[in-house]
Amino acid sequence: MKTDIILCGVGGQGILSIATIIGEAAMKENLYIKQAEVHGMSQRGGDVQSNLRISSNPIHSDLIAKGAADVIISMEPMEALRYLPFLSKDGWIITSATPFVNIPNYPDMDTILADLHKVGNVIVVDIEKMAKDNGVPRSANVILLGAAQKALGIDYDKLEAAIARVFQRKGEKIVEANIKALALGREMQK
């Protein structure tokens, strides 16, 4: 088993929480894991990106080479395009449909979506609306994780258990909200 994942978005969107949940699930499966993070200017809407590598064999580098990522999980559609050169030919993009417009010349969303759909394996989810409509507004990132579950190759119940462990210290209501969000995302899988 080997899965190379690029997680990306804008600071404050919960990218590192997704990485923590995936990492927790992988470690409980006794898999090897390496992670490299790039924190942008999160308070100013800067790029945040994480390389997350999971394998049943030892991993020698924490960085993912161009053309080698199996999955790109993006909280922001334009950020998914930024990392497109890293996606393998059979890789998956799972992205939020909601742009975070933080630059004056932000591209047209129709153009972004058309470019993303050229890849073939793309899931675009309006996680912000789903989170709000389902009473879990602070768990949009976990909805995206649920939509990515099959592409990650990690059993759903392993991610659910990881959520319980990661959010345990924040209380049962937070755990329940995030498990609900994961289930909502799971419904979006192809």
Side-chain angles (χ1 to χ4, degrees), residues 72-121:
I72 294 174
I73 300 174
S74 182
M75 290 291 295
E76 206 289 326
M78 189 175 73
E79 292 299 324
L81 284 180
R82 180 192 309 256
Y83 295 100
L84 199 55
F86 289 88
L87 191 66
S88 68
K89 65 180 175 94
D90 295 322
W92 280 87
I93 295 175
I94 298 90
T95 185
S96 170
T98 307
F100 186 94
V101 181
N102 58 352
I103 56 175
N105 57 344
Y106 192 93
D108 176 66
M109 270 306 294
D110 290 336
T111 303
I112 290 173
L113 292 173
D115 287 345
L116 287 174
H117 283 291
K118 289 177 186 174
V119 171
N121 297 327

Side-chain angles (χ1 to χ4, degrees), residues 118-135:
K118 289 177 186 174
V119 171
N121 297 327
V122 177
I123 299 174
V124 179
V125 185
D126 191 345
I127 58 173
E128 299 295 332
K129 181 175 180 352
M130 286 180 70
K132 187 177 178 184
D133 289 352
N134 288 281

Side-chain angles (χ1 to χ4, degrees), residues 35-181:
Q35 181 178 4
E37 299 172 2
V38 175
H39 300 267
M41 295 176 60
S42 61
Q43 292 182 349
R44 298 196 182 178
D47 174 41
V48 175
Q49 180 262 341
S50 179
N51 282 231
L52 187 59
R53 305 188 73 206
I54 301 169
S55 178
S56 52
N57 297 312
I59 303 166
H60 301 289
S61 173
D62 53 0
L63 297 177
I64 299 170
K66 285 190 176 179
D70 299 298
V71 183
I72 294 174
I73 300 174
S74 182
M75 290 291 295
E76 206 289 326
M78 189 175 73
E79 292 299 324
L81 284 180
R82 180 192 309 256
Y83 295 100
L84 199 55
F86 289 88
L87 191 66
S88 68
K89 65 180 175 94
D90 295 322
W92 280 87
I93 295 175
I94 298 90
T95 185
S96 170
T98 307
F100 186 94
V101 181
N102 58 352
I103 56 175
N105 57 344
Y106 192 93
D108 176 66
M109 270 306 294
D110 290 336
T111 303
I112 290 173
L113 292 173
D115 287 345
L116 287 174
H117 283 291
K118 289 177 186 174
V119 171
N121 297 327
V122 177
I123 299 174
V124 179
V125 185
D126 191 345
I127 58 173
E128 299 295 332
K129 181 175 180 352
M130 286 180 70
K132 187 177 178 184
D133 289 352
N134 288 281
V136 291
R138 297 183 48 89
S139 301
N141 60 332
V142 180
I143 292 174
L144 198 63
L145 175 60
Q149 179 261 320
K150 281 187 183 176
L152 294 173
I154 298 173
D155 291 338
Y156 179 83
D157 60 326
K158 305 297 186 213
L159 289 174
E160 193 174 80
I163 286 170
R165 289 188 300 274
V166 168
F167 292 109
Q168 179 180 13
R169 65 181 170 77
K170 293 187 175 187
E172 192 60 33
K173 286 186 178 185
I174 301 297
V175 170
E176 288 173 8
N178 282 285
I179 288 174
K180 180 179 179 179

